[in-house]
Amino acid sequence: MTLAAPNNARKDSKGLLRYLPQEGPLRVAIMGGFGLISILVLWQAICMILQVPDYLVPSPIKVFAAMRRDWVLLADNSVPTIKAAFYGFVIGNFIAVLVAVTFVYNKLIEEMYYPVAILIKTIPIVAIAPVLKLILGNGLAPKVAVAALICFFPTLVNAVRGFRSVSPNLLELMHVLSASRGEVFRYVRVYGALPYVFSALKISVTMCVLGAIVGEWIGANKGIGYILIQSMFDFDAPRLFATILVASTIAIIGFTIVSVLEKLVISWDPGESV
Amino acid sequence: MNAAIELSGINVTFGAGAKAIEAVGHVDLSIAKGQFVSLIGHSGCGKSTLLRVIADILEPTMGTTEILGAPPAKARQERTFSMVFQQSILMPWANVIDNVTLPFKVGGKHDPSLGMDPMDALKLVELEGFAKAKPAELSGGMRQRVAIARALVTRPKILLMDEPFGALDELVRDTLNVELLRIWRQSGMTIVFVTHSLQEAVFLSQRVVVLSRRPSQVSDILDVDLPDERTLELKDDPRVGRQVARLRALLDAG
């Protein structure tokens, strides 16, 4: 007896695409690269055809030229931004997880301070930044504080949800085993929360770069935020765009690191029912 | 004293006032040491509720429970009993051996020498090659074996089982039934087994406690008349069929 091939079988790719892997991160990277290149080509074409002046929107070639020209300046100024973003990321997320644990174990504190956390979240970060500058001065501290503040809320919300997401079955088992609250936390709740916390970290790792830049806008003489403002005043659009590209690259690298860490730490299927 | 579990006047009522639901009406039951006893009844009759009272997961509205002469909370803390649930309830992030050794890591200081070697527990459920496997890599039947190993590792005197094979297919259930009987015979434990399968109850047990519809009471107790040595072939024996029919009649009467 012969069986007919299922008619929903994936058709073989034609042309150059057949050299690509069918799925996986390499395919995602290559296809994403194609997409990006197509947009750059389109952008270059529009700039050339419409003869858009460089001081308004520079062509990609001009942006890359500016990047080559100013790479020492951009690299030097990336350091304080990365520093502020990194410290902000660590501090903001650490405090958020700590507060989440307190909320999960103390209903009264949660009832009192969750609304306050939401209230703080509703104030635009650009409005808080000058306040932080007034309080913390001109150094690294206000930039770190803005970055930390921007990381805080998504991680708090997700961590609270995560610590509470534990399957009731597992809690019942831990009860039968006479586990203490600390043991339930250590052996069950932490693991239940990890997938939620990592989702939040992936958001906050890009947000903390934004926070550091906002912090630098309010008052700094170095950093990516400072270069952005300076390039705007100098009408140096190619450098402005090149700086944006650097900021975006920093965020992408951060996102990739957190994603790799997530893959290493979460070796189980978080959606699996217990 | 010969009773492993003694239930006197157990009543469980959920909620209060007009919305109160009486799950267990009035149950007096004594389970002797070393016996294999099944609880059976119509769906929702409160058999799992009764088991949860014994396991100290649920406090009865009225009545007292004694487990080897001690209140359930004390028995729980002393690891007098272990429980196997309908789901295997394994920690998906931990491998098999870490799941099996969980009872040694939580719940206060316990002398591990009183328990079983975790590898021996795995051997008992024929999973010795899977110590490092994650639960996701195992089939439903294998996961339930891990749950049984986790329950056995503390060498409990009593094993409470709440429809442990209910979610498994018939072939796996048959195999695990036979293995459970082997473990029971080797260990001399008391087993209280909740099931909705009449055949399973007859095949495994020495006594089957029939519960009436909600609010449940013990409507009858069937002493199973089968040889102590039970093999899989016995499941198709007419004697099992006759006792299943009797059990069905008792259930309908209740």
Side-chain angles (χ1 to χ4, degrees), chain A residues 172 175 177-178 183 267, chain B residues 52 56 76 79 107 134 143:
Chain A
E172 207 158 83
H175 170 79
L177 294 174
S178 305
E183 287 165 344
S267 56
Chain B
R52 290 155 73 87
D56 193 41
R76 171 169 60 84
R79 298 279 157 80
K134 284 272 170 67
R143 287 185 204 201

Side-chain angles (χ1 to χ4, degrees), chain A:
Chain A
M1 195 180 80
T2 53
L3 286 172
N7 53 14
N8 60 350
R10 199 168 177 160
K11 287 197 176 102
D12 285 337
S13 302
K14 295 263 158 55
L16 281 173
L17 283 179
R18 70 168 177 263
Y19 296 110
L20 275 180
Q22 289 287 317
E23 49 197 32
L26 188 65
R27 187 183 173 92
V28 172
I30 292 171
M31 293 311 282
F34 280 152
L36 190 66
I37 290 166
S38 70
I39 289 170
L40 290 177
V41 169
L42 191 70
W43 175 5
Q44 181 73 33
I46 290 171
C47 285
M48 283 166 74
I49 293 163
L50 301 178
Q51 294 188 324
V52 183
D54 282 349
Y55 62 86
L56 281 181
V57 180
S59 69
I61 290 176
K62 290 276 167 55
V63 173
F64 286 116
M67 204 172 223
R68 268 186 70 178
R69 183 192 69 206
D70 293 331
W71 75 270
V72 177
L73 176 86
L74 290 170
D76 279 352
N77 282 280
S78 295
V79 175
T81 308
I82 292 171
K83 225 185 209 176
F86 176 73
Y87 290 152
F89 178 78
V90 172
I91 295 170
N93 286 306
F94 180 73
I95 296 174
V97 171
L98 222 59
V99 173
V101 174
T102 316
F103 280 1
V104 168
Y105 280 100
N106 197 321
K107 191 91 189 127
L108 208 70
I109 291 185
E110 185 188 8
E111 283 172 347
M112 281 170 72
Y113 295 107
Y114 212 164
V116 178
I118 295 168
L119 193 77
I120 293 170
K121 166 69 187 162
T122 57
I123 306 171
I125 200 77
V126 281
I128 300 179
V131 180
L132 292 171
K133 181 187 149 58
L134 272 181
I135 299 169
L136 299 168
N138 262 334
L140 186 66
K143 288 97 183 167
V144 172
V146 177
L149 203 60
I150 216 166
C151 291
F152 177 75
F153 199 75
T155 304
L156 173 70
V157 174
N158 267 28
V160 168
R161 265 184 63 191
F163 285 127
R164 293 231 166 94
S165 71
V166 179
S167 122
N169 288 342
L170 256 178
L171 291 181
E172 207 158 83
L173 171 77
M174 293 304 266
H175 170 79
V176 171
L177 294 174
S178 305
S180 66
R181 274 153 63 111
E183 287 165 344
V184 172
F185 183 77
R186 189 176 149 202
Y187 289 102
V188 175
R189 285 197 195 276
V190 166
Y191 293 95
L194 274 175
Y196 288 84
V197 171
F198 267 106
S199 294
L201 292 185
K202 283 200 279 194
I203 299 168
S204 64
V205 76
T206 53
M207 297 290 276
C208 71
V209 180
L210 167 73
I213 290 172
V214 169
E216 286 165 353
W217 277 355
I218 307 302
N221 51 15
K222 57 187 177 183
I224 293 291
Y226 166 74
I227 298 289
L228 283 172
I229 298 282
Q230 209 52 44
S231 305
M232 185 185 73
F233 286 144
D234 295 345
F235 284 98
D236 191 344
R239 194 174 68 195
L240 184 64
F241 275 68
T243 317
I244 293 170
L245 211 61
V246 170
S248 162
T249 308
I250 295 169
I252 289 171
I253 291 171
F255 185 84
T256 310
I257 292 171
V258 174
S259 300
V260 170
L261 273 176
E262 184 187 27
K263 281 236 156 41
L264 290 175
V265 173
I266 300 173
S267 56
W268 67 97
D269 173 14
E272 195 186 340
S273 64
V274 177

